[in-house]
């Protein structure tokens, strides 16, 4: 009988895998180096490794896997590296400059950006074609669709070999008929083209954001489709793919709308951290996912990660529902180098998986954060239980060369590298907490990923955090998070209307249309009517405001009580966000409905976190030896094996706690206690 559930998270440096045996509750974890040149190869290696660990070498696996969930960085990396070729854009006649005009926004304001240069557009002006025809904001046709112009545009792209095309016509969120007609022309005149329509990618107003989001979808669709096709052939079960919104969908659905996967891996990590933290009694936390290439930070409030639609990947704004994540180039592979001014800089450039840090011995020539940890003795001279031996001498020589240029000793330079990396992470945490109106001192930190726990003690000092939770197998928490995720699809429809005199019949019809779309997607995913739920929300604002506030909408009939409850929630949310509302002044500040939203959810059975009985309180049984570690100076430091620690055990710093996928350097003045779930809870002494 199929009993295994497998989660695979492909990162820039390592591919992490978790396998859960649903019959016994046994969980096995492993890591294998990523293969950036062909991510599907690393995926196949991870699948084989998981099956060997869960079933034993050589055991038949054809019928053993019940589900396989995957977090991928294929779309993200393509955008971050600006690998966008052969992309074309079709828009309404007279609006060919929409990408050039954009929002006229400058990072940090004009006063701080004297030398800012506008980045190149995702589609250069010479690859933009326009087609006649016009709808108004209600969807009524002002001018008919110009089929002859559409044929000419399609042939222009075909003759130049442009194979990925985004289509965004004015007001197509209100009525998609012109965009659907354009797709039929492209199918007929340019059948090899990959086409994305804005009415299917993002059916809401704001033409610039809708255009760019549609073009991003078209840009990544060929690569993501090829990749998903390759891993489907290697997978022992139909793969589910993690989406940015905190849900999973089948590989077929992901290929249909690949933009939804742009923050696939980081979203899984935030959900896994929320799941583990809630089991330990922490409903609101900051999550920190430290990888080899970057660190991803998110906030979990009352058990659920915060969501946003105001996101971006690299320089490309995308308006899709996504977990609110801030990413900084502060991972284990982040390169330490001197700026032209002679100061030390760490990241965002990374040595990646190949060649990797100096201490990997694979030909790397630049000092990284991992090298600094190795030089200071804060990580063992091997990784992954001995699978990767580290050349500490090679790292020391590289740090010495950098230190001489700074006029410092090697240990001081290495400590400076780690200090800069810690402040990079701290600033990311500030952006997502203080920048969102939250007091960071109220929120414990959940640190995971291979490099996440390494700077946890320093972050407690810098930010005044109350504690840090280090989950079991922290290096594989993102892969574990994939086993906790429901199938989820999001749908949106712009419907701008004043609350006073709102057409409730039309409002109900709008929600019914979105729920029908969500139901059709869940049908394709195999969820029967009794195994699904729909979550409504709405974007509202005060008339005259430029942006909206999203609030949850109740289930049930759409009538006066429904309308009043949504408006009440809007006033409450606006007051919580901005410190004021116009609850009692509807005449001068009327409420305006803007977008209707529905999420279709197909729930899964989540794994249970086992609890272990308390030990005898003697952490000494887990002690494996002593080595010199540099904190404020070289100190003989006890080393502990994490899997030998039992609930109730307390380790006092200075100490180093090692495990298969990560290491926790416990600084002087800190202590770590093992909780009933096997998590380490780090606090100041």
């Amino acid at each position: 009988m199929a009993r295994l559930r497998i989660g695979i998270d492909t990162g820039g440096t390592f591919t992490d895998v978790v396998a859960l045996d649903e019959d016994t509750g046994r969980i096995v974890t492993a890591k294998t180096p990523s293969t950036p040149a062909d991510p599907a190869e690393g995926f196949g290696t991870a699948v084989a490794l998981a099956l060997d660990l869960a079933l034993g070498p050589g055991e038949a696996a054809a019928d053993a896997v019940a589900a396989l969930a995957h977090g991928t960085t294929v779309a993200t990396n393509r955008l971050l590296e600006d690998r966008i070729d052969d992309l074309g854009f079709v828009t309404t006649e007279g609006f060919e400059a929409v990408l050039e005009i954009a929002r006229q926004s400058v990072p940090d304001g004009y006063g701080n950006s004297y030398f800012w240069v506008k980045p190149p557009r995702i589609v250069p002006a010479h690859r933009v074609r326009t087609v006649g025809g016009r709808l108004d904001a209600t969807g009524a046709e002002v001018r008919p669709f110009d089929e002859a112009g559409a044929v000419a545009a399609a042939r222009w792209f075909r003759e130049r070999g442009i194979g990925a095309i985004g289509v965004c016509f004015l007001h197509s969120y209100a009525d998609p008929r012109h965009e659907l007609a354009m797709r039929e022309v492209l199918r007929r005149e340019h059948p090899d083209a990959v086409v994305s329509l804005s009415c299917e990618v993002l059916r809401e107003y704001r033409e610039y954001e809708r255009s760019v989001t549609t073009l991003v979808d078209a840009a990544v669709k060929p690569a993501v489709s090829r990749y998903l096709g390759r891993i489907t052939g290697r997978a022992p079960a139909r793969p589910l793919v993690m989406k940015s919104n905190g849900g999973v969908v089948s590989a077929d659905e992901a290929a249909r709308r690949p933009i939804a996967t742009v923050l696939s891996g980081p979203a899984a990590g935030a959900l896994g951290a929320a799941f583990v933290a809630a089991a330990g009694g922490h409903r609101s936390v900051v999550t920190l996912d430290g990888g080899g290439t970057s660190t991803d930070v998110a906030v979990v409030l009352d058990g659920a990660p915060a969501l946003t639609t105001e996101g971006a990947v690299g320089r490309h704004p995308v308006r899709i529902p996504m977990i609110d994540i801030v990413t900084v180039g502060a991972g284990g592979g982040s390169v330490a180098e001197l700026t032209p001014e002679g100061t030390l800089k760490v990241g965002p450039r990374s040595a990646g998986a190949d060649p990797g840090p100096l201490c990997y011995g694979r030909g790397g020539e630049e000092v990284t954060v991992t090298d600094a940890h190795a030089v200071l003795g804060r990580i063992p001279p091997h990784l992954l239980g001995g699978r990767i031996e580290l050349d500490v001498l090679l790292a020391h020589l590289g740090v010495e060369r950098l230190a001489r240029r700074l006029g410092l000793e090697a240990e001081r330079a290495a400590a400076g590298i780690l200090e800069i990396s810690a402040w990079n992470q701290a600033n990311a945490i500030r952006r997502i907490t203080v920048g969102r109106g939250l007091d960071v001192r109220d929120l414990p930190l959940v640190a995971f990923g291979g490099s996440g726990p390494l700077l946890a003690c320093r972050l407690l000092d810098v930010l005044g955090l109350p504690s840090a939770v280090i989950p079991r197998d922290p290096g594989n928490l993102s892969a574990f998070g994939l086993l906790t995720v429901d199938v989820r699809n999001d749908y949106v429809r712009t419907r701008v209307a004043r609350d006073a005199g709102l057409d409730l019949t039309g409002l109900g019809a709008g929600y019914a249309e979105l729920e029908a779309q969500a139901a059709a997607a869940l049908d394709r995913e195999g969820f029967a009517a009794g195994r699904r739920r729909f979550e409504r929300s709405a974007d509202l604002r005060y008339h005259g405001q430029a942006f909206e506030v999203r609030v949850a909408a109740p289930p049930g009939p759409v009538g006066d009580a429904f309308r009043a409850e949504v408006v009440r929630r809007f006033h409450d949310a606006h007051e919580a966000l901005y410190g004021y509302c116009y609850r009692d002044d509807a005449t001068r500040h009327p409420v305006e409905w803007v977008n209707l939203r529905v999420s279709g959810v197909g729930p899964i059975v989540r794994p249970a976190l086992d609890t272990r009985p308390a030990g005898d309180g003697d952490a000494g049984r887990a002690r494996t030896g002593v080595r010199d570690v540099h904190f404020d100076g070289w100190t003989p430091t006890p080393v502990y094996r994490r899997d030998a620690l039992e609930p109730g055990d307390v380790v006092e710093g200075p100490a180093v706690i090692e495990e298969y996928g990560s290491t926790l350097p416990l600084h002087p003045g800190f202590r770590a206690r093992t909780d009933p779930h096997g998590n380490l809870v780090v606090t100041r002494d």
Side-chain angles (χ1 to χ4, degrees):
M1 295 291 293
R3 66 182 193 274
L4 290 182
R5 290 171 59 194
I6 298 175
I8 297 176
D9 177 49
T10 300
T13 305
F14 287 105
T15 294
D16 305 330
V17 59
V18 170
L20 167 69
D21 189 322
E22 293 184 311
D23 289 348
T24 65
R26 176 173 172 254
I27 294 176
V28 296
T29 63
K31 298 171 82 75
T32 184
S34 295
T35 51
D38 181 7
E41 182 181 336
F43 174 90
T45 302
V47 169
L49 186 58
L51 293 175
D52 281 350
L53 290 171
L55 302 175
E59 291 294 320
D63 300 320
V65 180
L68 189 152
H70 178 41
T72 173
T73 56
V74 170
T76 313
N77 291 343
R78 199 161 189 88
L79 295 171
L80 291 176
E81 297 167 15
D82 272 334
R83 288 185 290 143
I84 298 172
D85 303 317
D86 300 329
L87 183 61
F89 181 40
V90 182
T91 190
T92 302
E93 188 176 47
F95 287 82
E96 58 270 22
V98 64
L99 299 179
E100 294 298 324
I101 296 171
R103 287 292 174 196
Q104 298 187 334
S105 59
V106 174
D108 303 320
Y110 284 91
N112 296 322
S113 302
Y114 299 113
F115 304 106
W116 179 77
V117 177
K118 185 168 75 170
R121 306 295 94 179
I122 188 171
V123 175
H126 70 274
R127 288 191 174 186
V128 178
R129 299 287 97 184
T130 63
V131 174
R134 183 72 178 270
L135 305 175
D136 66 16
T138 68
E141 189 172 72
V142 177
R143 290 195 299 273
F145 177 70
D146 179 8
E147 183 152 349
V151 169
R155 291 176 178 174
W156 189 90
F157 288 123
R158 185 191 65 202
E159 290 163 1
R160 286 156 182 79
I162 298 172
I165 300 168
V167 180
C168 182
F169 290 147
L170 200 65
H171 301 308
S172 59
Y173 58 85
D175 191 317
R177 67 183 118 162
H178 285 186
E179 287 192 357
L180 296 175
M182 185 70 218
R183 178 162 62 187
E184 290 306 312
V185 171
L186 286 165
R187 281 176 175 168
R188 187 172 68 244
E189 300 293 336
H190 192 1
D192 295 331
V194 173
V195 180
S196 292
L197 304 183
S198 77
C199 63
E200 295 177 346
V201 174
L202 183 68
R203 197 167 173 179
E204 64 179 86
Y205 85 139
R206 292 195 174 101
E207 306 306 316
Y208 171 67
E209 287 79 4
R210 185 156 52 89
S211 296
V212 174
T213 303
T214 303
L215 288 166
V216 167
D217 185 77
V220 301
K221 189 173 283 186
V224 171
S225 297
R226 286 194 301 269
Y227 172 72
L228 293 177
R230 294 194 64 189
I231 67 166
T232 299
R234 295 170 181 253
R238 186 187 67 160
L240 297 172
V241 180
M242 184 74 202
K243 295 172 65 178
S244 309
N245 67 352
V248 290
V249 291
S250 67
D252 291 341
E253 287 290 326
R256 191 174 288 116
R257 192 165 172 253
I259 191 174
T261 69
V262 292
L263 288 178
S264 179
L271 287 162
F275 184 77
V276 169
H282 306 287
R283 298 280 296 171
S284 297
V285 296
V286 176
T287 73
L288 183 140
D289 182 359
T293 305
S294 62
T295 293
D296 304 308
V297 178
V299 171
V300 175
L301 298 175
D302 196 24
L307 291 172
T308 183
T309 56
E310 303 294 328
V313 182
R315 61 183 177 87
H316 308 295
V318 289
R319 284 186 63 89
I320 59 170
M322 61 177 68
I323 291 177
D324 194 2
I325 292 171
V326 171
T327 299
V328 290
S334 295
V335 172
E337 58 190 335
L338 295 186
T339 67
E341 296 77 26
T343 59
L344 183 61
K345 174 186 177 184
V346 181
R349 198 162 57 83
S350 174
D354 187 13
L358 284 169
C359 58
Y360 281 17
R362 295 177 182 166
E365 298 180 350
E366 297 179 295
V367 175
T368 68
V369 171
T370 297
D371 295 313
H373 281 295
V375 166
L376 298 180
R378 298 190 189 179
I379 58 175
H382 53 76
L383 299 179
L384 306 186
R387 288 180 57 203
I388 298 179
E389 293 292 335
L390 299 184
D391 191 333
V392 179
L393 177 60
L394 202 59
H396 200 281
L397 292 173
V399 172
E400 273 188 337
R401 286 195 299 271
L402 184 66
R404 281 196 297 269
R405 297 174 64 190
L406 290 163
L408 300 173
E409 294 180 351
E411 290 84 1
R412 184 69 189 89
I417 291 168
L418 300 187
E419 184 73 356
I420 293 171
S421 185
W423 278 90
N424 287 342
Q425 294 181 3
N427 288 334
I429 293 173
R430 283 196 178 101
R431 283 172 56 194
I432 207 162
T433 53
V434 179
R436 308 288 199 271
L438 301 171
D439 190 337
V440 68
R441 296 169 298 182
D442 296 335
L443 302 170
L445 176 74
V446 181
F448 59 99
S451 67
L454 290 170
L455 297 172
C457 291
R458 187 66 185 123
L459 290 173
L460 295 191
D461 271 340
V462 169
L463 295 169
L465 299 162
S467 62
V469 178
I470 316 298
R472 289 165 60 183
D473 297 313
N476 293 75
L477 189 67
S478 291
F480 175 79
L482 290 162
L483 305 181
T484 71
V485 179
D486 295 324
V487 171
R488 187 181 189 95
N489 286 288
D490 299 308
Y491 299 91
V492 60
R493 176 78 181 271
T494 293
R495 193 182 186 91
V496 180
R498 297 279 185 94
D499 182 62
L502 185 67
D503 177 10
L504 294 175
T505 302
L507 187 70
Y511 274 115
E513 178 187 346
L514 295 175
E515 288 175 359
Q517 288 180 270
L522 291 173
D523 282 337
R524 292 193 295 270
E525 300 283 2
F527 286 90
R531 294 182 56 229
R532 62 179 66 161
R533 71 175 186 270
F534 302 108
E535 297 175 357
R536 297 171 176 170
S537 59
D539 299 345
L540 285 77
R541 66 188 178 194
Y542 294 116
H543 177 64
Q545 288 183 327
F547 291 93
E548 306 81 46
V549 174
R550 182 173 309 160
V551 295
V558 176
D560 284 325
F562 174 92
R563 181 201 61 77
E565 176 60 18
V566 173
V567 171
R568 183 191 67 78
R569 294 180 183 184
F570 164 69
H571 290 309
D572 290 346
H574 196 283
E575 188 169 21
L577 279 169
Y578 303 114
Y580 72 95
C581 70
Y582 297 115
R583 193 186 312 273
D584 302 318
D585 196 3
T587 303
R588 288 199 306 159
H589 300 283
V591 172
E592 200 167 52
W593 293 63
V594 179
N595 295 316
L596 311 182
R597 298 180 185 272
V598 167
S599 296
V601 180
I604 63 154
V605 178
R606 288 172 171 75
L609 292 178
D610 62 321
T611 57
R612 297 155 57 189
D616 57 12
D618 179 17
R621 86 181 76 78
R623 187 164 164 170
T624 60
V626 176
R627 72 166 177 263
D628 285 342
V629 179
H630 192 284
F631 290 108
D632 296 324
W634 288 107
T635 306
T637 302
V639 178
Y640 293 83
R641 225 182 75 204
R642 179 167 181 180
D643 60 2
L645 292 172
E646 296 180 350
D649 288 352
V650 175
V651 176
E652 302 282 353
V656 176
I657 302 174
E658 299 176 352
E659 58 186 303
Y660 173 80
S662 189
T663 300
L664 171 64
L666 197 62
H667 290 221
F670 288 82
R671 62 172 53 180
R673 176 181 54 82
T674 307
D675 75 4
H677 295 290
N679 304 312
L680 294 176
V681 181
V682 179
T683 54
R684 292 180 190 81
D685 193 350

